[in-house]
Amino acid sequence: MSARPRIWERLASSYDDLEWNRRTDQEIYLEIQRQRPMWLRIGNFYRRNLSLLRMLPPGQLVLWKLEHFGDDAANAVRMLISSGLQPESFVAELFASGHTIVPYTFTTTGRDNLVRDVPLLRTMDIQILPLAHNMLIRRAGRTELRASLGLGEDDILVGAGGRLFPEKGIDEIATWFLRQRIDAHLLCSAIPADDRQSVESVRIDWQTRSGTSDSARLHLRFGHYDQPDWMSSFYAAIDVMLVNSMTDSWGRMASEAITLGVPAIVRRADCGTNELAPNVVLVNGFEQLSTAEFAAAFDQARKRASRLQEYMAAHYDISVVRRQFHELLREYVPASHRAEFIDLAAELHPSVDRMLTF
């Protein structure tokens, strides 16, 4: 007897980027038909989520990723919402779509903020699923990168990075560092906020703000998202990571640094960076941080680094989050399809693992 044809070919496919995805809804729909995923993941409050789901037969299993970036930065985006869209109306239409909708976010702080800002979400069972860590550090890259900056093994290299938005606080770190008499160098791995920024223009801006013309201790590199080889070398090379963000749904650079055993000093803020692990060293920003306070925080961070690394591995390793992901999905799969779900979950698909890290 021939085997019964499979209804689904993979556990899940992700379309959480629909707001800026250049493909048409029809092209995405046809791709879904080819991939035949049991689950679809959509993201945030994007109008195209609704238009895509209208094209699908009722009963689709849908994982809805929600992000809240906190409230501490003035005029910063708190949630990702299509222009002109009312979140409450979106939620009502989404849950009336005829599909099984399972909302989730990364942290309890994010969930609390979401239900406060979108009251209709209080009636929904919003699950918590953290982001997974899935990057290996290549310690061999430490010497080469430091040497390229003219640094030896005994020199102190401070790290910072992220997109150059004001609410990420990288400008504050750089100008604070240039004002201080700290026997160290600063390496910033930055993503420009717009096309007008260049490494030279940002360096000049930081020098002007700090009131100094000497920026020899400052090293700035522009890059983009998803550069695992460079970021691995970056974390291997630095001796301490400074995170000054006031808005993050998770806090990737804080999470990656701590997971890889890099001592970290993090700004106290109502956002994801403060919920990654207990006993992360927190400061009230960097602008007013004295040299002595920095030294004390650095010493604390070094002492706590190994314990925090153990915590992160136990809670956010890809194998741990993958298991949580499977447990979450299984709860919503009809009993008649549990066997197919188990088979699909056992097939470790790279695209599914990638979903868990973003």
Side-chain angles (χ1 to χ4, degrees):
M1 180 181 295
S2 60
R4 186 176 62 178
R6 285 166 50 137
I7 302 173
W8 302 284
E9 288 297 329
R10 65 168 65 182
L11 180 62
S13 292
S14 183
Y15 295 94
D16 62 333
D17 64 345
L18 289 179
E19 185 74 353
W20 55 89
N21 194 312
R22 294 184 178 181
R23 292 179 297 170
T24 66
D25 290 350
Q26 180 66 20
E27 288 171 330
I28 294 172
Y29 169 78
L30 292 174
E31 180 177 83
I32 293 171
Q33 298 306 300
R34 290 193 300 271
Q35 292 182 352
R36 302 206 325 246
M38 176 178 277
W39 283 84
L40 285 183
R41 183 175 75 164
I42 60 173
N44 298 298
F45 300 91
Y46 295 149
R47 188 175 284 105
R48 287 188 70 191
N49 290 330
L50 297 175
S51 62
L52 179 62
L53 292 179
R54 290 189 200 108
M55 302 175 72
L56 300 175
Q60 175 66 52
L61 297 170
V62 179
L63 193 62
W64 181 27
K65 181 180 78 173
L66 289 164
E67 297 175 83
H68 196 289
F69 299 94
D71 298 324
D72 283 356
N75 302 318
V77 172
R78 296 203 304 264
M79 298 178 294
L80 297 174
I81 306 171
S82 293
S83 176
L85 186 118
Q86 296 299 317
E88 294 268 308
S89 299
F90 175 89
V91 173
E93 184 171 349
L94 182 63
F95 278 83
S97 65
H99 302 298
T100 298
I101 309 296
V102 181
Y104 82 100
T105 191
F106 307 141
T107 68
T108 56
T109 296
R111 180 168 61 187
D112 292 345
N113 286 337
L114 283 162
V115 300
R116 182 204 62 210
D117 287 355
V118 187
L120 188 55
L121 288 174
R122 293 174 185 165
T123 64
M124 315 302 176
D125 186 14
I126 302 177
Q127 302 292 321
I128 300 295
L129 184 70
L131 286 182
H133 177 79
N134 195 27
M135 187 174 77
L136 298 176
I137 193 164
R138 298 169 178 82
R139 299 302 302 184
R142 176 178 173 86
T143 302
E144 288 84 347
L145 180 51
R146 293 170 70 91
S148 72
L149 303 176
L151 303 180
E153 184 57 35
D154 295 333
D155 293 311
I156 300 297
L157 181 60
V158 179
R163 189 173 283 279
L164 292 175
F165 291 143
E167 58 269 23
K168 299 302 181 183
I170 302 168
D171 294 338
E172 181 181 308
I173 288 176
T175 54
W176 162 81
F177 182 85
L178 290 174
R179 292 191 191 111
Q180 300 298 313
R181 297 180 179 275
I182 299 173
D183 186 16
H185 286 243
L186 173 65
L187 174 60
C188 288
S189 180
I191 300 171
D194 57 54
D195 294 338
R196 294 170 297 177
Q197 289 183 317
S198 66
V199 168
E200 189 58 27
S201 69
V202 170
R203 178 185 292 277
I204 291 171
D205 178 52
W206 288 349
Q207 288 178 186
T208 302
R209 294 193 198 192
S210 64
T212 178
S213 59
D214 180 12
S215 60
R217 297 180 299 127
L218 171 65
H219 310 277
L220 174 60
R221 180 189 187 274
F222 273 9
H224 50 81
Y225 290 117
D226 199 18
Q227 293 183 294
D229 290 341
W230 158 252
M231 291 310 301
S232 178
S233 297
F234 171 82
Y235 292 124
I238 63 176
D239 299 295
V240 59
M241 182 72 188
L242 307 185
V243 178
N244 196 32
S245 177
M246 293 174 280
T247 60
D248 264 306
S249 60
W250 179 251
R252 181 172 300 278
M253 295 199 75
S255 171
E256 289 176 345
I258 297 168
T259 299
L260 296 171
V262 179
I265 303 172
V266 177
R267 183 187 184 119
R268 189 173 282 106
D270 175 36
C271 69
T273 59
N274 281 213
E275 202 177 327
L276 295 172
N279 299 316
V280 172
V281 176
L282 301 176
V283 296
N284 294 322
F286 289 87
E287 187 173 12
Q288 302 301 321
L289 195 70
S290 69
T291 302
E293 289 169 333
F294 168 71
F298 186 11
D299 185 56
Q300 278 188 316
R302 280 187 287 203
K303 291 175 180 176
R304 299 180 188 181
S306 61
R307 288 280 184 89
L308 287 170
Q309 184 178 25
E310 292 171 2
Y311 180 93
M312 300 294 277
H315 290 79
Y316 309 132
D317 183 79
I318 185 68
S319 62
V320 175
V321 177
R322 186 193 298 126
R323 184 172 62 250
Q324 294 175 355
F325 179 66
H326 290 165
E327 291 171 355
L328 168 60
L329 299 189
R330 186 171 57 240
E331 290 298 313
Y332 295 90
V333 174
S336 57
H337 297 310
R338 290 283 173 83
E340 292 98 324
F341 172 82
I342 292 170
D343 289 343
L344 291 167
E347 299 172 2
L348 300 182
H349 201 286
S351 67
V352 176
D353 273 1
R354 182 174 172 80
M355 279 175 52
L356 303 181
T357 64
F358 285 94

